[in-house]
Amino acid sequence: MRQIEKLYTRRVSQNEIVSPELARQLSELSHETRRQIGVLLDRKGKVEYVMIGDAKQIEMPDFKRVRTSAERFRGLRCVHTHLRGEKLTQDDLTDLALLRLDLMAAIQVDEKTGLPTQVYAAHLVPTTAEKLTENKGEDAEQSLPYAFLPPQIPSQLDTDFLELINSLEDEMARNRQTSRNRNTARDRVILVGVTTGTLSEAEESMAELEELALSADVIVLDKIIQRRQSIDAKTVLGKGKLEELLVRAMQLGADLIVFDAELSPAQVRLIGEATDLKVVDRPQLILDIFAQRAQSREGKLQVELAQLKYMLPRLVAGQDSAFSRLAGGIGGRGPGETKLETDRRRVRDKINHLEKQIDLLARQRGERRKERLRRDLPVVSLVGYTNAGKSTLLNTLTQSHVYVEKKMFATLDPTSRRLRLPVDQEIIINDTVGFIRDLPETLVAAFRATLEEIGESDLLVHVVDAANPRCLHQIEAVERILTELKLYEIPRLIAFNKADLLDEVEINALLRQTSIEKQVECLAVSALKPEKVRPLLEKIGEVLNTDLSEETEEDSDLISHRETFAGAAVL
């Protein structure tokens, strides 16, 4: 015990990684106890911590989650012994990265003499997302977040430690400043996907998550996919992959981690605690995009309602929630409510208030809808996956100037326009909010009043991005949502937009396959070329006239039946 205490009195030069004397003392103690012994040295060479492990590893002290500056290391270097002749282990390198240590050194102990032999050391490497992207696909060592020093015996370690650390921190600060200047006030995120299915499906979903992230105006630094037999109930990822994620986040300077799945409140909390970063799941990302896009009063109310419904079950007792404290002050003493209960009650009250406002707006919308129906104008609604080109098609058909942007959910507020068909018939055509697979239930519930517009349609035109390699999956996702909303019985056409981006063989095969599978009329259009949408207008007129003539025949049969019945009654 006294020998361990003596370690605290040891000092090494600021410029040396470890002195020969300290290396020998650590090795002899380790050989004698058959345990790994380690110390953490500050930059003045003073021993701050002494760590005693077992024969295989040492346990790092708890730094109480104190974060270091993004431009600096922790100011501590770890020097410890290895009894089995091993070099730096993966655990050593993980601790180096996660704790942002100045340096990690391992002293090999001779099994017979107990003297130090080789010292293996590594330090973190400052880098940028751009450099990592350039190195992707090259030699794996080029993209590692750390660099190794040449192994030496303690007396021949000639690396100027202080000069090395200062140069590394200067480079880190320059990289960070360059990145900050280039991307002011934009979150830097890593996308994470975990699947129990096929890797190809996970990659498709990840590609869509990346589109969502870019639509949310964030910077995507990296994407990580893990395939597992089962999802980890606590942290979703496996332990090894989670450590890899933490190292990657530290290396790239990520602010945010976005998961391609809906996370439980406990999972968000545990992953957040492990990474010390903000954690967002797919539904929350979609809600954030909706919040950015909402323009009308109704749209803003619907988004706020969806966000509150999403947040309510996730209101848990955190470090700052004062779960154990009762709301104090005059009128608040006694049993009272906890801070958490008060927050939940306020959220529920706000949800009730928003639902009443949205119901009022829905009734007003219903009155306007009745007025349109009184004019006896058929209603056609453009539906489809987000970013399929619905608004562009509406603009081309009606010569309007509805807001269009190549981003997901650019349209949130439904737009109605009059349109005259080639058969000299007027209709009302609606542009609606785009769908996406795994659309959050809270969002569907909040936008139900808006989606009712689709329910009053005489015809649905399902717009599909034909150039998207995932277009068939997107069709399935939209049809699933239409079925859930009980809108599947409305007559519909499928319009493959951006058909000019495919060759004739490809588009004809796509039309034929979809028409057979869905038993629906399919057409090829290009929303940017007015001459390419005329067949769609003619087909809309044809379908509407067919439906109207069928309704007229049904009405005539009913009138004839009534007249016959009336005549019989008179007789």
Side-chain angles (χ1 to χ4, degrees):
M1 192 63 186
R2 288 180 181 176
Q3 290 176 308
I4 297 296
E5 290 176 353
K6 283 182 181 179
L7 288 174
Y8 280 102
T9 65
R10 282 284 184 186
R11 296 185 73 94
V12 302
S13 167
Q14 295 181 6
N15 296 334
E16 61 184 355
I17 294 172
V18 60
S19 66
E21 296 79 15
L22 179 57
R24 179 165 182 159
Q25 187 176 0
L26 288 172
S27 298
E28 290 175 344
L29 276 172
S30 188
H31 184 261
E32 181 183 337
T33 60
R34 304 309 300 167
R35 293 171 178 268
Q36 289 190 11
I37 307 289
V39 294
L40 290 175
L41 301 163
D42 66 16
R43 292 190 184 173
K44 293 181 180 179
K46 180 184 175 183
V47 175
E48 290 287 342
Y49 297 90
V50 176
M51 301 159 290
I52 304 174
D54 55 26
K56 297 180 180 179
Q57 62 182 8
I58 57 172
E59 190 77 22
M60 286 289 176
D62 183 7
F63 289 106
K64 302 298 182 185
R65 290 164 50 83
V66 177
R67 295 191 68 176
T68 58
S69 166
E71 290 85 15
R72 291 180 56 81
F73 297 121
R74 190 168 291 278
L76 296 171
R77 60 189 180 275
C78 176
V79 180
H80 68 294
T81 58
H82 277 176
L83 293 168
R84 301 180 177 182
E86 65 266 47
K87 302 175 183 179
L88 288 170
T89 65
Q90 188 57 51
D91 285 343
D92 292 334
L93 298 173
T94 299
D95 286 337
L96 168 67
L98 299 188
L99 299 176
R100 295 178 68 84
L101 298 173
D102 291 356
L103 185 125
M104 175 66 74
I107 304 170
Q108 290 185 339
V109 179
D110 187 278
E111 289 186 11
K112 294 180 180 179
T113 65
L115 296 176
T117 56
Q118 299 276 14
V119 178
Y120 290 86
H123 60 80
L124 295 174
V125 178
T127 189
T128 62
E130 291 79 10
K131 289 180 183 177
L132 284 172
T133 303
E134 290 171 7
N135 291 337
K136 228 171 188 179
E138 297 181 9
D139 185 13
E141 289 190 5
Q142 292 185 347
S143 61
L144 290 175
Y146 26 71
F148 298 93
L149 300 179
Q152 297 281 359
I153 62 174
S155 60
Q156 293 182 3
L157 285 171
D158 56 358
T159 301
D160 189 322
F161 171 74
L162 209 56
E163 182 181 342
L164 172 66
I165 291 302
N166 287 337
S167 64
L168 291 173
E169 289 189 336
D170 288 345
E171 187 179 348
M172 286 172 68
R174 285 195 299 271
N175 288 345
R176 192 76 178 179
Q177 187 60 46
T178 302
S179 177
R180 190 181 293 124
N181 292 341
R182 192 182 296 118
N183 307 300
T184 307
R186 292 174 66 192
D187 284 329
R188 300 158 59 83
V189 309
I190 293 178
L191 308 181
V192 180
V194 185
T195 181
T196 56
T198 64
L199 198 58
S200 60
E201 290 176 352
E203 288 171 347
E204 282 185 14
S205 185
M206 181 62 74
E208 185 172 273
L209 184 69
E210 184 174 15
E211 286 184 51
L212 285 167
L214 295 175
S215 296
D217 200 29
V218 300
I219 302 162
V220 177
L221 301 176
D222 200 5
K223 296 174 286 185
I224 294 176
I225 297 177
Q226 183 184 34
R227 188 173 180 273
R228 294 173 56 85
Q229 288 187 340
S230 60
I231 303 296
D232 190 289
K234 292 183 178 179
T235 56
V236 185
L237 290 161
K239 181 183 176 184
K241 207 67 174 180
L242 181 61
E243 288 181 351
E244 180 186 325
L245 170 62
L246 303 187
V247 171
R248 203 67 167 166
M250 181 282 307
Q251 184 184 14
L252 295 175
D255 309 304
L256 193 67
I257 299 172
V258 180
F259 278 79
D260 189 23
E262 184 170 356
L263 304 180
S264 70
Q267 287 170 336
V268 171
R269 178 172 53 82
L270 289 171
I271 298 169
E273 287 176 354
T275 62
D276 211 11
L277 294 171
K278 185 177 179 183
V279 178
V280 170
D281 60 8
R282 183 187 177 96
Q284 193 172 357
L285 178 65
I286 294 174
L287 286 170
D288 185 76
I289 296 172
F290 270 61
Q292 292 181 39
R293 300 280 189 274
Q295 298 295 326
S296 69
R297 179 167 174 264
E298 184 175 10
K300 291 177 180 178
L301 290 175
Q302 289 168 326
V303 171
E304 186 180 1
L305 175 61
Q307 287 178 320
L308 289 174
K309 284 186 173 181
Y310 176 85
M311 184 200 310
L312 183 58
R314 290 165 172 78
L315 280 176
V316 295
Q319 293 177 344
D320 302 319
S321 66
F323 178 73
S324 60
R325 296 199 301 270
L326 299 178
I330 296 173
R333 297 186 176 90
E337 287 182 303
T338 64
K339 174 72 163 55
L340 180 62
E341 288 168 346
T342 303
D343 289 343
R344 284 176 174 165
R345 179 171 51 79
R346 286 174 178 167
V347 170
R348 289 193 193 97
D349 290 344
K350 183 68 173 175
I351 287 173
N352 291 334
H353 177 65
L354 289 173
E355 285 178 338
K356 289 177 182 176
Q357 287 184 288
I358 290 173
D359 285 345
L360 177 61
L361 290 172
R363 286 195 295 271
Q364 294 173 355
R365 181 186 292 278
E367 293 299 321
R368 293 196 296 272
R369 194 159 57 238
K370 286 178 184 176
E371 184 63 29
R372 289 202 299 268
L373 291 173
R374 275 193 215 104
R375 296 175 187 171
D376 206 23
L377 292 179
V379 177
V380 176
S381 291
L382 302 177
V383 300
Y385 215 76
T386 179
N387 207 24
K390 297 182 294 299
S391 298
T392 304
L393 183 59
L394 178 76
N395 286 339
T396 301
L397 291 173
T398 63
Q399 298 181 356
S400 302
H401 300 285
V402 173
Y403 175 73
V404 172
E405 189 176 2
K406 195 176 180 181
K407 284 187 176 181
M408 288 185 155
F409 303 114
T411 300
L412 280 192
D413 303 309
T415 305
S416 298
R417 293 287 186 271
R418 280 193 178 213
L419 173 64
R420 183 172 291 278
L421 298 175
V423 292
D424 200 26
Q425 177 185 14
E426 274 199 344
I427 65 170
I428 299 292
I429 187 164
N430 292 327
D431 183 18
T432 62
V433 62
F435 296 147
I436 194 170
R437 66 177 176 182
D438 301 326
L439 195 64
E441 290 183 10
T442 53
L443 208 50
V444 175
F447 276 75
R448 191 166 295 279
T450 302
L451 296 172
E452 284 175 3
E453 288 280 337
I454 305 175
E456 300 294 335
S457 304
D458 298 287
L459 175 67
L460 302 181
V461 176
H462 180 176
V463 183
V464 179
D465 179 358
N468 193 310
R470 305 187 302 275
C471 66
L472 294 177
H473 293 129
Q474 292 180 351
I475 291 173
E476 292 294 337
V478 172
E479 303 235 319
R480 195 178 306 117
I481 294 172
L482 290 175
T483 303
E484 290 171 0
L485 295 172
K486 299 179 180 178
L487 302 172
Y488 201 70
E489 298 301 320
I490 301 174
R492 68 193 190 286
L493 301 171
I494 296 182
F496 281 93
N497 189 26
K498 308 179 188 179
D500 53 318
L501 299 179
L502 301 178
D503 61 45
E504 191 173 347
V505 175
E506 286 179 308
I507 192 64
N508 286 338
L510 198 57
L511 292 172
R512 188 166 53 253
Q513 178 185 352
T514 309
S515 179
I516 294 172
E517 288 181 358
K518 302 299 178 185
Q519 297 295 302
V520 174
E521 189 90 32
C522 299
L523 301 94
V525 301
S526 175
L528 293 176
K529 298 179 179 179
E531 68 276 10
K532 295 286 187 179
V533 299
R534 185 171 180 83
L536 175 62
L537 290 175
E538 292 172 351
K539 180 56 68 175
I540 289 173
E542 182 184 322
V543 173
L544 290 176
N545 286 329
T546 301
D547 291 342
L548 286 173
S549 62
E550 288 176 357
E551 288 178 12
T552 303
E553 288 177 9
E554 288 176 5
D555 291 343
S556 299
D557 291 343
L558 182 61
I559 291 169
S560 175
H561 175 71
R562 284 174 178 169
E563 288 175 347
T564 304
F565 179 78
V570 171
L571 289 172

